[in-house]
């Protein structure tokens, strides 16, 4: 009688391994995330693929000079990466299907190859002709870019070691296959072992490797996040024009920066001034519209907050928040009702961030409050006014980070008046060409507009 093949259980969120099925993962505490995978043959972990120095050394013996980074040709992407691609780095790019991950990386390959770098683009999902059809709308490509349609990592390793490219793109990791792993491509064990294989290949040969991952499959990005150097998420509505790339993890730079792109028929284009892009088409003399400023890393971005307040026809008013935290909107409406005497419990309220960007910073509180009050009273706020500040439950306006940069961005885009927290006035100082007004609570802000 043949011996049954041994199986193990993996958590598809964090990769936790167990010999039996568990209802709740001990690692990430998620429920119902364990999947069964057959255990493949043991691999030889002593093969380091270039990492031959396995003796410990003191920290003072290690030299760590700043390495020359490789530019991607996109200033927005270089900012998110911390100045460019680090040689030997392993970069994970995730996002919803159809958001533009493959398009972005193919354009990055085009830019880097046109700058004289040897690039290898490996696809396990598309044939070479399909990649060429997608590339035709992006313009001319250099011969420095090579294409390979392959899923076997053993063949991919031999090609990389033979051609010695300056950068490699793997699209996608869920299609890659290790022959010595007894499970299907895309499974937790295959994805984990394939990523570990590529990590050793990248570190041992100082070749940066981009890995594309698909959302919503058995082996999600969380299995890979702890293994790679950088995690980038491509965000945005695929039906909208703009896209945002955000650094979630970065061992070589900040995780607060974002890059903004616009989808066009020729591919993705950089949005060098996101504030102007987001405010394009803003209505004039319309109630419920206020411009606020948020910070994404070191970059200030101006956003239009739109609200519509109308009397409800039902016993329970309806509240909708698009691009904002729903609970935060309810909290601020309760502050208005208690501190300003507005009977909002009898009104429906719809709050929206124009452009579709997700806004989570507390500095938008004052803008949300003033937009709701403007729509309730049907009185438009001066279109040359910008506001920002955090609002507490007592109606006080609290300080926010980097107020001077926010005011400078507003001045650059032609705003004439800025309402800020009074405690931030000392930090901002005097600026020519823009009136800066400090407020201590919501009542003072309402009286100014």
């Amino acid at each position: 009688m043949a011996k049954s093949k041994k199986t193990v259980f993996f958590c598809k969120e964090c990769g936790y391994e167990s010999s039996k099925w568990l209802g709740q993962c001990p690692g990430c505490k998620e429920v119902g995330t364990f999947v069964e995978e057959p255990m493949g043959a043991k691999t030889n972990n002593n093969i380091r693929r270039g990492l031959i120095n396995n003796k410990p050394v003191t920290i003072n013996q290690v030299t760590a000079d700043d390495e020359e980074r490789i530019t991607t040709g996109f200033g927005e992407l270089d900012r998110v990466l911390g100045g460019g691609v680090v040689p030997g780095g392993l970069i994970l790019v995730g996002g919803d299907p159809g958001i533009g991950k493959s398009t972005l990386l193919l354009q990055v390959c085009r830019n880097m190859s046109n700058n004289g770098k040897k690039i290898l683009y490996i696809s396990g999902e598309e044939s070479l002709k399909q990649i060429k059809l997608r590339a035709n709308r992006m313009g001319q490509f250099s011969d420095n870019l090579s294409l390979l349609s392959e899923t076997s990592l053993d063949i991919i390793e031999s090609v990389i070691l033979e051609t010695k490219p300056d950068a490699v793109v793997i699209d996608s990791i869920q299609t890659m296959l290790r022959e010595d792993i007894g499970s299907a491509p895309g499974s937790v064990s295959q994805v984990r072992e394939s990523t570990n294989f590529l990590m050793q290949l990248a570190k041992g040969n100082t070749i940066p490797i981009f890995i594309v991952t698909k959302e919503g499959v058995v082996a999600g990005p969380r299995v890979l996040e702890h293994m790679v150097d950088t995690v980038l998420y491509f965000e945005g509505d695929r039906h909208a024009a703009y896209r945002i790339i955000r650094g979630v993890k970065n061992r070589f730079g900040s995780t607060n920066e974002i890059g903004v792109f616009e989808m066009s028929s020729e591919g993705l284009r950089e949005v060098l001034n996101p504030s102007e892009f987001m405010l394009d088409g803003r209505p004039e003399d319309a109630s419920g519209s206020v411009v606020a400023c948020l910070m994404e890393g070191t970059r200030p971005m101006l956003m239009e907050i739109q609200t519509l307040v109308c009397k409800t026809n039902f016993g329970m008013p309806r509240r909708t928040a698009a691009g904002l935290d729903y609970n935060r909107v309810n909290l601020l409406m309760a502050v208005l009702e208690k501190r300003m005497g507005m009977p909002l419990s009898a009104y429906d309220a719809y709050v929206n961030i124009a452009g579709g960007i997700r806004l989570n910073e507390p500095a938008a509180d004052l803008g949300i409050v003033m937009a709701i009050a403007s729509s309730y009273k049907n009185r438009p706020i001066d279109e040359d006014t910008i506001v920002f500040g955090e609002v507490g439950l007592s109606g006080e306006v609290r300080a926010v980070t980097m107020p001077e940069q926010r005011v400078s961005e507003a001045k650059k885009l032609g705003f004439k008046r800025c309402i800020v927290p009074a405690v931030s006035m000392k930090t901002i100082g005097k600026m020519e060409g823009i009136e800066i007004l400090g407020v201590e609570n919501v009542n003072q802000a309402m009286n100014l507009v």
Side-chain angles (χ1 to χ4, degrees):
M1 182 176 178
K3 188 178 180 179
S4 59
K5 196 171 185 180
K6 186 177 180 181
T7 61
V8 293
F9 295 87
F10 290 99
C11 173
K12 62 184 180 182
E13 289 294 326
C14 68
Y16 185 90
E17 181 179 340
S18 174
S19 60
K20 61 181 181 179
W21 185 88
L22 299 174
Q24 184 181 43
C25 175
C28 62
K29 307 301 181 184
E30 293 292 332
V31 178
T33 57
F34 268 80
V35 293
E36 184 179 8
E37 295 288 347
M39 179 177 286
K42 292 185 178 179
T43 59
N44 185 6
N45 292 326
N46 293 324
I47 301 176
R48 299 293 293 167
R49 292 180 174 81
L51 298 179
I52 58 176
N53 185 14
N54 56 359
K55 296 181 180 180
V57 296
T58 64
I59 190 170
N60 293 325
Q61 291 177 314
V62 181
T63 58
D65 298 330
D66 291 337
E67 294 190 53
E68 182 181 356
R69 297 189 179 228
I70 304 173
T71 179
T72 63
F74 286 124
E76 295 289 301
L77 182 56
D78 287 342
R79 180 191 294 108
V80 178
L81 291 172
V85 180
V86 176
L90 194 61
I91 303 166
L92 177 69
V93 181
D96 295 332
I99 201 67
K101 302 184 296 294
S102 299
T103 300
L104 174 66
L105 289 179
L106 190 57
Q107 287 185 264
V108 168
C109 291
R110 174 176 178 265
N111 295 339
M112 295 172 72
S113 62
N114 289 343
N115 289 333
K117 301 294 183 181
K118 289 179 60 178
I119 310 299
L120 178 60
Y121 187 97
I122 303 171
S123 176
E125 300 177 338
E126 298 176 289
S127 66
L128 299 183
K129 289 185 178 180
Q130 290 174 328
I131 300 174
K132 179 61 177 177
L133 288 173
R134 188 155 47 89
N136 284 338
R137 59 189 175 93
M138 299 180 186
Q140 295 295 324
F141 281 74
S142 168
D143 289 337
N144 291 325
L145 174 60
S146 301
L147 304 178
L148 177 65
S149 181
E150 184 56 64
T151 59
S152 174
L153 284 175
D154 293 328
I155 298 177
I156 289 173
E157 180 189 22
S158 62
V159 172
I160 292 176
L161 295 179
E162 180 183 353
T163 59
K164 293 291 184 181
D166 295 309
V168 177
V169 174
I170 304 292
D171 186 10
S172 65
I173 190 62
Q174 277 81 12
T175 62
M176 296 296 110
L177 176 66
R178 289 288 309 273
E179 300 292 344
D180 49 6
I181 304 298
S183 58
S187 62
V188 176
S189 54
Q190 277 285 1
V191 169
R192 186 175 62 177
E193 292 300 324
S194 298
T195 304
N196 183 57
F197 182 94
L198 293 171
M199 179 183 67
Q200 294 184 23
L201 196 61
K203 305 298 182 186
N205 299 277
T206 62
I207 299 174
I209 299 180
F210 290 86
I211 299 176
V212 179
T213 182
K214 296 183 290 185
E215 293 278 359
V217 295
V218 171
R222 290 197 175 275
V223 178
L224 315 179
E225 284 182 355
H226 297 291
M227 304 175 66
V228 301
D229 298 314
T230 305
V231 179
L232 304 178
Y233 277 163
F234 215 29
E235 304 173 354
D237 185 357
R238 61 172 143 179
H239 303 294
Y242 80 93
R243 303 286 190 274
I244 293 177
I245 190 162
R246 188 186 305 273
V248 179
K249 172 187 176 182
N250 192 352
R251 289 175 179 161
F252 311 114
S254 172
T255 57
N256 294 323
E257 300 290 350
I258 67 167
V260 183
F261 294 86
E262 181 185 6
M263 181 63 79
S264 65
S265 57
E266 293 83 19
L268 291 161
R269 289 196 300 241
E270 295 179 277
V271 179
L272 301 178
N273 192 340
S275 298
E276 185 177 4
F277 178 76
M278 296 301 172
L279 296 179
D280 189 25
R282 183 185 171 210
E284 298 181 359
D285 296 329
S287 62
S289 175
V290 174
V291 177
C293 184
L294 72 151
M295 296 294 299
E296 289 288 354
T298 59
R299 164 186 283 181
M301 294 179 62
L302 304 187
M303 297 290 166
E304 181 189 1
I305 301 174
Q306 296 179 332
T307 61
L308 180 63
V309 178
C310 53
K311 200 165 184 64
T312 184
N313 293 321
F314 305 97
M316 181 178 294
R318 184 175 181 180
R319 307 284 165 79
T320 302
L324 288 164
D325 183 11
Y326 172 80
N327 295 323
R328 189 70 181 174
V329 172
N330 283 335
L331 183 148
L332 294 174
M333 293 184 67
V335 172
L336 278 175
E337 186 160 3
K338 179 70 174 181
R339 308 301 174 188
M340 297 291 296
M342 296 182 182
L344 296 176
S345 58
Y347 288 79
D348 295 333
Y350 307 89
V351 185
N352 175 54
I353 302 298
I357 279 189
R358 183 77 185 174
L359 199 159
N360 294 317
E361 196 184 13
D365 288 354
L366 186 58
I368 298 171
V369 165
M370 296 183 69
I372 293 173
S374 171
S375 179
Y376 171 76
K377 296 184 176 181
N378 200 25
R379 295 179 184 176
I381 295 176
D382 188 4
E383 61 184 17
D384 292 330
T385 299
I386 183 174
V387 300
F388 60 83
E390 181 181 357
V391 176
L393 293 181
S394 298
E396 78 278 11
V397 179
R398 296 176 175 269
V400 297
T401 59
M402 293 185 278
E404 188 174 2
Q405 289 88 333
R406 301 173 195 260
V407 176
S408 297
E409 180 73 7
K411 177 184 175 182
K412 184 169 65 176
L413 291 180
F415 286 86
K416 303 300 183 184
R417 187 167 61 163
C418 190
I419 299 177
V420 305
V423 294
S424 300
M425 293 294 291
K426 295 181 181 179
T427 306
I428 299 173
K430 293 184 179 180
M431 287 190 183
E432 298 293 334
I434 186 169
E435 182 184 8
I436 305 173
L437 304 173
V439 294
E440 296 180 353
N441 51 57
V442 174
N443 283 300
Q444 291 184 6
M446 297 298 174
N447 292 333
L448 290 176
V449 296

